[in-house]
C-alpha cells in the first residue's frame, strides 16, 4: 500500500523545452511501503571484493551509484527501503575503497571514474543482470554517465542528479571549501566517521579534492563531455536549485548534450535531494523507469 504523496512535479517532454520545475516539496514519509528484506554480500570483480546490497523481486534491475565516500548504507536508505520492490530489483554498490569494499584503500588516478564505471557494469554482469538502469548521485552520476556512454547495450535507462561533466575553477573553489572534514556539519560527518574512522575519512576526502580538481587542468575542464552525445538510452536529469556543491549550469549542460533527455529542477532541493525529499524523488524516478 502506498503512502500519501506530496504535490507532483512537471516533466520536460521535449529536449528543447525549458526545464520543468517541481511544485514546492515537503519532506514527508516514503512513497511506497513494500517490505522485502535487504541482503548484503560481496563478490569479486576486477580483482576486488565489491560489497553490495540488494532488495526487490522485480524484472527491472536498477543499480544505485553513490557519491564521494558514499555507500549504499549511507547514501540510499530511502531508495533501498521504499522503491517499488514488485517492479524493481534494486542493487546499491560500494565502489572500491568506499563503504565495505575495503580493501583496497581508495585512490584517485586520472581514470578513476572510468574504473568505477567498469567495476559497476562488471558487478551487475557478475550478478547475472543482462540489462539494467542506473541511478547515479554526484560522483556516482558521473560514473553512470560514463557507463551509459561506454556500455550502451547494457543500460536500459539513466537517472543522474548532482552530477557534472567538467570541472571549472569555481568548482575547485567549492571543493576546497569541503577539504577539511572537521568543518562539515555533524549530521553529515558523523555517519562517515562511524563507517571509516576519522583518519581514513579525512585523508580520503583530501585525496578526492586533489583528484577531482585535476580535471580543471584539462581542456574545458573535461571529465566526460565528449561522451554525452554517445548516451542513447532514455535519460532523466534532476537538479536541486539550492545545491551548494554543483552549480545548475552543469545539469543544463548535460541535458543539452544528451539527445532527448529530460531535466527536472527542484526549487527547494539541495545536493541530497533524494534523501531530503525521498517521497517525491522516488515517485518521479519510478514513473520514469516504468
Amino acid at each position: 500500500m502506498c503512502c500519501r504523496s506530496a504535490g507532483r512535479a512537471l516533466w520536460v517532454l521535449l529536449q528543447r523545452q525549458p526545464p520543468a520545475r517541481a511544485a514546492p516539496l515537503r519532506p514527508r514519509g516514503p512513497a511506497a511501503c513494500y517490505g522485502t528484506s535487504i541482503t548484503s554480500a560481496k563478490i569479486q570483480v576486477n580483482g576486488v571484493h565489491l560489497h553490495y546490497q540488494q532488495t526487490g523481486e522485480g524484472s527491472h534491475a536498477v543499480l544505485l551509484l553513490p557519491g564521494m565516500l558514499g555507500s549504499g548504507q549511507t547514501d540510499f536508505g530511502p531508495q533501498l527501503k521504499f522503491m517499488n520492490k514488485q517492479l524493481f530489483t534494486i542493487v546499491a554498490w560500494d565502489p572500491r575503497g568506499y563503504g565495505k569494499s575495503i580493501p583496497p584503500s581508495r585512490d584517485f588516478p586520472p581514470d578513476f571514474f572510468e574504473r568505477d564505471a567498469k567495476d559497476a557494469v562488471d558487478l551487475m554482469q557478475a550478478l547475472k543482470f543482462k540489462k539494467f538502469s542506473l541511478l547515479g548521485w554526484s560522483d556516482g552520476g558521473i560514473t553512470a554517465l560514463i557507463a551509459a556512454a561506454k556500455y550502451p547495450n547494457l543500460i536500459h535507462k539513466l537517472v543522474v542528479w548532482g552530477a557534472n561533466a567538467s570541472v571549472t575553477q569555481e568548482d575547485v573553489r567549492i571543493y576546497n571549501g569541503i577539504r577539511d572534514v572537521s568543518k562539515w556539519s555533524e549530521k553529515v560527518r558523523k555517519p562517515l566517521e562511524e563507517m571509516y574512522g576519522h583518519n581514513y575519512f579525512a585523508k580520503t576526502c583530501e585525496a578526492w579534492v586533489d583528484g577531482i580538481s585535476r580535471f580543471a587542468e584539462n581542456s574545458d575542464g573535461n571529465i566526460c563531455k565528449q561522451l554525452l552525445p554517445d548516451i542513447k538510452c532514455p535519460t532523466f536529469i534532476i537538479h536541486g536549485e539550492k545545491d551548494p556543491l554543483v552549480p545548475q549550469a552543469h545539469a543544463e549542460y548535460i541535458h543539452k548534450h544528451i539527445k532527448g533527455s529530460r531535466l527536472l529542477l527542484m526549487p527547494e532541493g539541495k545536493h541530497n535531494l533524494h534523501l531530503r525529499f525521498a517521497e517525491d524523488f522516488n515517485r518521479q524516478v519510478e514513473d520514469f523507469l516504468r
Side-chain angles (χ1 to χ4, degrees), residues 78-95:
Q79 286 69 51
L80 285 166
K81 290 178 182 177
F82 300 119
M83 282 185 68
N84 189 322
K85 299 182 183 186
Q86 295 177 340
L87 294 177
F88 305 110
T89 296
I90 303 152
V91 178
W93 82 310
D94 300 356

Side-chain angles (χ1 to χ4, degrees), residues 197-245:
H198 177 77
N199 288 340
Y200 187 93
F201 170 39
K203 177 182 177 182
T204 305
C205 182
E206 290 185 0
W208 174 84
V209 170
D210 292 337
I212 197 163
S213 295
R214 280 193 291 270
F215 288 105
E217 300 169 5
N218 294 343
S219 176
D220 296 327
N222 182 49
I223 300 176
C224 61
K225 293 167 72 174
Q226 78 285 359
L227 295 178
L228 299 182
D230 295 335
I231 297 175
K232 306 302 183 185
C233 65
T235 300
F236 187 22
I237 303 144
I238 306 173
H239 187 76
E241 293 190 77
K242 294 185 177 180
D243 190 333
L245 298 177

Side-chain angles (χ1 to χ4, degrees), residues 24-40:
L25 301 178
R26 289 171 288 175
R28 299 178 60 183
C33 305
Y34 301 99
T36 309
S37 63
I38 300 172
T39 61
S40 178

Side-chain angles (χ1 to χ4, degrees), residues 100-175:
K100 296 180 181 178
S101 295
I102 302 173
S105 296
R106 182 69 180 187
D107 62 350
F108 300 94
D111 66 342
F112 73 90
F113 283 119
E114 285 80 2
R115 181 183 65 186
D116 283 351
K118 180 170 173 50
D119 282 349
V121 167
D122 289 351
L123 167 68
M124 293 299 280
Q125 292 192 298
L127 296 176
K128 308 302 182 184
F129 295 111
K130 294 181 179 179
K131 197 164 187 176
F132 45 92
S133 292
L134 301 174
L135 271 63
W137 177 36
S138 196
D139 271 20
I142 301 172
T143 299
L145 291 169
I146 294 170
K150 289 195 167 186
Y151 309 98
N153 293 332
L154 301 176
I155 308 306
H156 183 43
K157 293 186 176 182
L158 172 66
V159 182
V160 295
W161 65 104
N164 48 295
S166 63
V167 175
T168 68
Q169 289 303 317
E170 172 64 10
D171 295 328
V172 172
R173 184 193 67 77
I174 293 171
Y175 301 150

